Amino acid sequence: MAIAATASSSAATTTEHTHTRICPLCEACCGLEIRTRSSAEGTSIVSIRGNDSDPFSNGYLCPKGFALKDLHEDPDRLRQPMRRRADRSGFDPVSWEDAFEEIAQRLPPLRDQFGADAVALTIGNPASHKIGLFSYFPHLARALGTRNLFSASTLDQMPKQLACGLMYGHWLSVPVPDLPRTDLFICLGANPMVSNGSLWTSPDYRGKAKAMRARGGRIVVIDPRRTETAQAADEHLAIRPGGDVFLLLGLLHTVFEEGLVNLGRMAEHVEGLDVLRAAVADFPPERGAAHCGIAADAQRRLAREFATTPKAVLYGRFGTCKQRFGSLNSWLIDALNIVTGHFDVEGGLMFPKAAAFAANTLGKPGQGKGVATGRRRSRVGKAPEVMGEFPISCLAEEIETPGDGQVHALITVACNPVLSSPNGARLARALDGLDLMVSLDPYINETSRHADLILPPPSPLEDWHYDMVFAQLSWRNHARWSGPVVPAGPDTRGEWQTLLRLAAIVAGQPADADLQAFDDAALRAELKRQAGDQAEALFAMLDGDAGPARWLDLGLRSGPYGDGFGAKPDGLTLKQVRAAPHGIDLGELQPRIPEVLRTASGRIELAPAALLADLVHADAALRHPTGDELLLIGRRETRSNNSWMHNLPVLAKGRDRCTLLVHPDDAARAGLADGQSARLSNARGSLIAPIALSADMRPGVVSLPHGWGHDLAGSRLAVAARHPGVNMNLLLDDEARDPVSGTSVLSGIPVRLSADPS
């Protein structure tokens, strides 16, 4: 966004400026106001606050936003490429030229010898906040031609994207709650008071929820823990971990049995209503009550309240996805909204309409090819491909297992799977057996410490940004651009440049090939696909030089609000968006069915075959009685959404956050007291953690936060190492997955609790 000078100091060589910016540290994407001071010695950050004039976040800012200063100034953040020493004792700085030359000497021969699948790619959540990473990663993936593509999606969100793809025709056609206009918000397995939305970009959930309740609305939270969201709700139902599918089936059964179906306008747009009715007929609330931990009468009451409230919405997220029946949960949540009339209407689930890059705004509206899954299977574990990738929990076995297609080289992009995925110790051992590993990462962390070369990105404050992803998931439509806040360092390369250079190397170009020509060719090819003979004329009209700016201008101008390259003079262009210092408000969510659909039938597929087939396994699970074992769930906190945030002093200070939450009754049975160290163990392993007694936990359930365990040799995260915490993934099975989506089972893990014998 625009940079405006606001003040000058008494010294003529010192100036202060105020910059508007989008926060890149979580999905909320809050607008920031950042003051800088520039002098002959450089530019420093003076202050960071919420931008009151931002039409999307309206001045809201959580504690993470202030940490941008710490991130920018972090002495552990890499400013130049690093190369592993020959004796593997550590890393030394190396020039960009030498780094790329070494990759050019080592990567193509490996690919030529072992085949394209011998090179694996992984990408993490931070890429969604960096337009250079997100828009140019596909260039590298296409150049490599590998089937071994992995991402953090199979640790988090793949069930939701799969369900939406099957129902609406595209992976990112994800409907979100219209919270400002609803009267009943049911929140299942999510904690938006902390996250401000997940696959739902909604800054200041607290303010929206408060306003909703002030006008008479109700909030019901369903979670094994009385979370921060539940504490501010009207009702909390403490579900048994892993029981979500049985609750959702009970709710749907009640809606059908009691004649509460109300499709409204959706009646002419749905396919499979009778199939869905038949599929849930054997799942009354009474049958699943013990498995979900919520009494049948409470289920029926909730179903009636939801179905008969004119403006209501059911939302489920992280907790619903990271379990055995994650895909069923994601499907049934949307199905419940649809059959009760709370879909594509004010106050229900609605589809955002992004200004650029949304596939559901391009091509012929209302119909498409839909999505396909399982087009291939992983070599070792035979896991199905979903959204073009395999489960990241398959990566270790693909490296370890000899044979055709074995992974010999790995490129990691903004991810730390050794810490974030199940059985990270196994993956760490596997990484040491690679012939080549390259990491694009700002830190020497638990994963990149295994790399031969680490290629660092610029600081977020040195780069410009536009939200390609989160504008497609936003509570309100908008277009916002962020300019750089501080000048880039002398040895800084943009992520798009790094990815394009790697793609050029794979394509057989020399390490010093002309990136401008390589980028021009890719852009011209896309324009030719879209515009045929008009491609060259449109190419000349695009704003910006090589890099994502021209792609963004193309996305905006050809998007639903765009100028159509002059056809709509008042439409959006990159120039117009850049000229709006606080962003452009594009209004409230509006009904988009059938226009948003990209299914082959042109209708909402209410009963996808792949999901119906998995109901057999849910039925089988109900035939086995529930055990009395202790179950482990994760949690996230505002200050520690991702593992690398633990290295930022402003977020790391204060109380110990890596504690094991235990209900007092469970602690008493194990002979444990508050603050005492306890052993948590199962067949996979064990760990020691300090316990914190909490009556907010459902009895029989304990909770550890995600993303800790910063005590591995070779990492260079000084602040995090002083408060390492423990990694709950030591107790997780890397072969336990939702077989439909490939997502790892990270919740509802049986464990034993005992005193620490040491």
Side-chain angles (χ1 to χ4, degrees), residues 719-734:
V719 173
R722 290 197 289 270
H723 309 280
V726 295
N727 190 348
M728 68 173 287
N729 291 330
L730 296 172
L731 305 176
L732 305 182
D733 182 354
D734 53 355

Side-chain angles (χ1 to χ4, degrees), residues 71-72 74-82 96 126-127 130 133 412-416 439-445 448 454-460 495 644-645 647-648 716-717:
L71 175 60
H72 179 70
D74 189 351
D76 289 334
R77 184 174 63 82
L78 302 178
R79 270 73 171 177
Q80 64 186 103
M82 305 294 285
W96 284 98
K130 308 294 289 291
L133 276 184
T412 71
V413 179
C415 61
N416 190 1
S439 290
L440 279 66
D441 204 279
Y443 289 107
I444 301 175
N445 61 27
S448 63
I454 306 175
L455 309 177
S459 158
E495 287 131 320
W644 54 269
M645 292 183 183
N647 209 55
L648 307 181
R716 196 183 297 175
L717 299 163

Side-chain angles (χ1 to χ4, degrees), residues 512-735:
D512 59 352
D514 181 3
L515 284 188
Q516 177 81 48
F518 203 67
D519 194 46
D520 286 353
L523 185 54
R524 282 189 163 98
E526 176 61 23
L527 286 167
K528 182 72 173 178
R529 187 188 68 80
Q530 289 191 24
D533 294 342
Q534 299 297 312
E536 200 59 34
L538 299 186
F539 182 88
M541 295 175 67
L542 290 174
D543 193 8
D545 296 324
R550 294 185 302 181
W551 292 90
L552 174 56
D553 195 32
L554 171 60
L556 289 167
R557 300 182 82 159
S558 58
Y561 310 94
D563 79 333
F565 288 91
K568 303 174 184 176
D570 295 332
L572 291 184
T573 65
L574 175 58
K575 182 179 180 180
Q576 183 182 357
V577 174
R578 289 179 64 173
H582 307 293
I584 297 173
D585 179 35
L586 298 173
E588 294 177 310
L589 305 185
Q590 300 294 326
R592 293 193 62 199
I593 297 291
E595 168 262 325
V596 73
L597 298 175
R598 293 296 184 271
T599 56
S601 65
R603 296 163 71 83
I604 298 169
E605 297 293 344
L606 202 53
L611 300 175
L612 287 171
D614 201 35
L615 281 176
V616 173
H617 302 106
D619 181 75
L622 282 175
R623 298 178 189 276
H624 296 282
T626 59
D628 58 358
E629 67 267 76
L630 201 63
L631 300 177
L632 172 65
I633 63 171
R635 69 179 187 274
R636 289 188 175 181
E637 298 189 346
T638 301
R639 292 175 176 267
S640 59
N641 265 23
N642 292 297
S643 59
W644 54 269
M645 292 183 183
H646 303 158
N647 209 55
L648 307 181
V650 71
L651 298 181
K653 66 183 181 182
R655 61 179 175 81
D656 183 4
R657 294 181 181 85
C658 191
T659 57
L660 180 69
L661 297 185
V662 183
H663 190 277
D665 292 348
D666 294 319
R669 276 191 291 272
L672 294 166
D674 190 52
Q676 184 177 349
S677 289
R679 180 181 295 276
L680 203 62
S681 59
N682 62 11
R684 309 298 306 180
S686 66
L687 53 83
I688 305 296
I691 70 168
L693 299 186
S694 174
D696 290 332
M697 295 302 302
R698 174 188 167 97
V701 182
V702 296
S703 172
L704 270 175
H706 168 87
W708 295 84
H710 303 286
D711 54 359
L712 300 181
S715 299
R716 196 183 297 175
L717 299 163
V719 173
R722 290 197 289 270
H723 309 280
V726 295
N727 190 348
M728 68 173 287
N729 291 330
L730 296 172
L731 305 176
L732 305 182
D733 182 354
D734 53 355
E735 296 182 1

Side-chain angles (χ1 to χ4, degrees), residues 202-246:
S202 185
D204 193 18
Y205 166 84
R206 183 188 299 272
K208 294 179 179 65
K210 184 177 180 180
M212 175 193 167
R213 295 182 73 197
R215 65 174 186 268
R218 269 178 42 80
I219 298 174
V220 179
V221 174
I222 306 169
D223 198 283
R225 179 169 71 95
R226 188 170 176 266
T227 63
E228 294 84 350
T229 303
Q231 291 170 22
D234 298 278
E235 183 178 2
H236 171 228
L237 298 173
I239 194 168
R240 187 175 186 270
D244 306 55
V245 65
F246 308 116

Side-chain angles (χ1 to χ4, degrees), residues 442-454:
Y443 289 107
I444 301 175
N445 61 27
E446 290 79 9
T447 297
S448 63
R449 68 195 170 117
H450 297 273
D452 297 284
L453 291 148
I454 306 175

Side-chain angles (χ1 to χ4, degrees), residues 146-226:
T146 180
R147 299 190 308 169
N148 283 313
L149 177 63
F150 307 87
S151 84
S153 295
T154 50
L155 298 173
D156 181 352
Q157 66 204 41
M158 189 64 85
K160 189 64 183 176
Q161 291 189 264
L162 173 61
C164 290
L166 293 173
M167 296 178 77
Y168 316 123
H170 194 269
W171 314 106
L172 270 174
S173 290
V174 179
V176 302
D178 184 27
L179 192 64
R181 296 183 287 187
T182 198
D183 295 321
L184 173 62
F185 178 54
I186 302 178
C187 182
L188 172 63
N191 192 6
M193 192 73 80
V194 164
S195 67
N196 285 294
S198 178
L199 291 180
W200 173 35
T201 300
S202 185
D204 193 18
Y205 166 84
R206 183 188 299 272
K208 294 179 179 65
K210 184 177 180 180
M212 175 193 167
R213 295 182 73 197
R215 65 174 186 268
R218 269 178 42 80
I219 298 174
V220 179
V221 174
I222 306 169
D223 198 283
R225 179 169 71 95
R226 188 170 176 266

